[in-house]
Amino acid sequence: MEFRESCCIGSSNGWLVFLEHKAVPFLFNPFKQIKIHLPSVDYLLGLKKMERNEDGEYELDYLKKNQRFFFKVCGKQQVRECFIQKAILSGKPDCNENFSVVLLCNNREEIAYHQRGYNSWTVIDVSHPPYRDIICHKNQLYALSDNNSIEVWDLGGRDYVGRIVNKSDIVLPFPYKSHTKGNSLRGFGTSKFYLVESCDDLLLIVRFIGDYVDFDGTLLTEWDLLTETCTQPKICPYKTCFFHVYQLDFDELKWVEVESLNDRALFLGGNQSVSVSVQSFPNCETNSIYFTDDCWEQMEEDYNYGGHDMGIYNIKDESFKPIYEFSSDKIQPPPCWIIPSAMLESQLGQCVASSPGYKFL
């Protein structure tokens, strides 16, 4: 199939989510070659026009908060940065499930969903925008907000006007270790956050990305770039430096640091975050985080770099290794993880069998 005019905005349950250049999304299963059309998101995003001109630029005309904007962007990833930050599914469309497609959009301020059988998108009534991440698990939607709270909605429940019912609002203290580390590295980079369901536990992954990193892993400031000791070919504009992993203790309402994932591996990036067992994926390294580049706001800032920030992180020894060796550091569009739903289903019994569970600090 031809996807030249489309932008991948998510991966979930073995399906890819694409956005066509006229703001019409669709689902695609690369393993079964099935395509499912979805309702247009032009009204949801306030788009009056989204077209590609002869120069390859995207012309955008949209309304936001009663203000009209018109501008041009060069790449499809910039379109994604502007409008849709994440797209996930609550189920598997190929199994005739009553699934929903959920979007984190409009600068992470809004969450919208489309339920199978309907021809529209509905904006969820949220309480604590903007949001850092969303995930679907057991027909419930979890959203992590910037104020560290987690909102939970029941995707199977509706009120009298058909809106999704808010189930709970959990306010949590931010993990002290990550807070302290972030403060000590302030001015060197930014953090990204991911929610991952793993064997019925809810994990929080904190990923620190240095704004400028030497190839030996040393964090640099903009001032360092001006000194004679730093030469441009040795500088990467942004790069992941470390991860912290936590599990939510629902009884104590706090994040507990995880020392080891045992036989699990995590996959993070532009996809719905996934935990897998290396028993089902023998080529995966245990106790590791596989990550791809999802820094949409920085991918077009540098001519030589973009989409390059990917690798394998070992939680035990805090080491990094490449997934593949690339001849170029400008990788557009960036890779996106996709895992066949049948392989994920085969792991359900393994979660019960892995009795040791996680090791905590």
Side-chain angles (χ1 to χ4, degrees):
M1 286 191 177
E2 180 60 62
F3 298 119
R4 184 175 301 173
E5 297 300 324
S6 303
C7 173
C8 182
I9 58 174
S11 169
S12 179
N13 285 285
W15 289 73
L16 293 167
V17 188
F18 285 93
L19 182 67
E20 293 182 323
H21 71 288
K22 293 187 180 295
V24 179
F26 64 89
L27 305 178
F28 179 68
N29 188 314
F31 307 105
K32 299 182 178 181
Q33 296 291 298
I34 300 174
K35 183 177 181 180
I36 299 177
H37 292 278
L38 301 172
S40 173
V41 292
D42 53 357
Y43 181 78
L44 170 67
L45 303 177
L47 277 170
K48 300 182 72 65
K49 184 178 78 168
M50 176 181 168
E51 295 180 352
R52 198 173 187 181
N53 60 28
E54 295 179 353
D55 298 326
E57 298 176 318
Y58 285 84
E59 297 180 350
L60 306 175
D61 182 5
Y62 73 100
L63 291 169
K64 186 64 177 177
K65 296 181 179 180
N66 296 323
Q67 290 185 312
R68 190 167 183 174
F69 300 87
F70 178 80
F71 62 97
K72 298 178 181 180
V73 295
C74 298
K76 289 181 287 187
Q77 297 306 323
Q78 287 179 293
V79 174
R80 174 174 186 166
E81 173 197 342
C82 292
F83 296 110
I84 299 177
Q85 289 69 54
K86 200 155 198 176
I88 61 177
L89 303 177
S90 66
K92 298 176 286 297
D94 49 332
C95 296
N96 294 318
E97 292 185 359
N98 187 23
F99 71 94
S100 297
V101 183
V102 184
L103 304 180
L104 178 58
C105 55
N106 293 327
N107 294 318
R108 301 183 181 272
E109 294 281 343
E110 294 181 342
I111 300 175
Y113 72 95
H114 161 70
Q115 186 179 4
R116 181 177 186 170
Y118 292 83
N119 193 34
S120 63
W121 292 88
T122 302
V123 177
I124 295 177
D125 185 16
V126 299
S127 301
H128 306 292
Y131 294 92
R132 292 168 165 170
D133 197 19
I134 56 174
I135 189 171
C136 289
H137 173 55
K138 292 185 176 180
N139 213 33
Q140 293 183 347
L141 172 65
Y142 295 80
L144 176 68
S145 75
D146 271 2
N147 73 346
N148 304 316
S149 68
I150 294 180
E151 289 180 69
V152 186
W153 293 270
D154 182 4
L155 294 177
R158 299 289 188 273
D159 62 14
Y160 63 96
V161 293
R163 295 175 303 187
I164 290 179
V165 177
N166 184 288
K167 186 173 182 180
S168 59
D169 190 349
I170 309 170
V171 180
L172 300 163
F174 190 72
Y176 178 76
K177 178 181 177 179
S178 294
H179 178 75
T180 303
K181 187 72 170 180
N183 285 340
S184 67
L185 297 173
R186 185 168 296 171
F188 288 88
T190 57
S191 297
K192 293 183 73 69
F193 306 84
Y194 305 86
L195 292 177
V196 189
E197 183 277 322
S198 182
C199 291
D200 287 336
D201 291 318
L202 188 63
L203 305 182
L204 169 67
I205 315 300
V206 183
R207 173 181 179 180
F208 186 85
I209 303 171
D211 289 336
Y212 299 95
V213 180
D214 205 335
F215 271 64
D216 64 1
T218 303
L219 286 167
L220 304 172
T221 64
E222 291 189 46
W223 172 254
D224 293 323
L225 305 181
L226 301 176
T227 64
E228 297 181 358
T229 58
C230 292
T231 57
Q232 186 64 28
K234 295 182 180 179
I235 305 302
C236 175
Y238 66 92
K239 186 178 180 182
T240 297
C241 301
F242 60 83
F243 288 89
H244 290 167
V245 182
Y246 302 91
Q247 178 186 332
L248 178 58
D249 184 330
F250 281 94
D251 295 327
E252 298 291 333
L253 293 183
K254 65 179 181 180
W255 294 109
V256 181
E257 187 174 4
V258 174
E259 184 183 46
S260 173
L261 296 171
N262 295 323
D263 76 330
R264 311 295 293 183
L266 308 181
F267 287 80
L268 311 179
N271 55 293
Q272 175 167 319
S273 302
V274 178
S275 165
V276 304
S277 169
V278 297
Q279 297 178 41
S280 295
F281 297 83
N283 292 326
C284 288
E285 297 185 13
T286 186
N287 201 30
S288 297
I289 298 175
Y290 289 71
F291 62 96
T292 56
D293 199 337
D294 59 354
C295 290
W296 318 117
E297 66 279 2
Q298 294 178 272
M299 287 186 186
E300 303 292 339
E301 291 182 355
D302 189 276
Y303 178 78
N304 296 312
Y305 289 90
H308 63 281
D309 188 22
M310 64 185 75
I312 306 171
Y313 176 79
N314 184 282
I315 294 177
K316 182 178 180 179
D317 59 20
E318 301 181 346
S319 64
F320 287 87
K321 63 187 299 184
I323 301 173
Y324 297 107
E325 294 292 345
F326 292 96
S327 59
S328 172
D329 289 311
K330 187 71 172 181
I331 304 171
Q332 295 283 22
C336 180
W337 300 112
I338 179 167
I339 301 173
S341 57
M343 296 184 72
L344 293 174
E345 290 169 0
S346 68
Q347 301 184 91
L348 295 178
Q350 295 175 11
C351 286
V352 178
S354 58
S355 56
Y358 301 110
K359 295 178 181 179
F360 301 105
L361 293 177

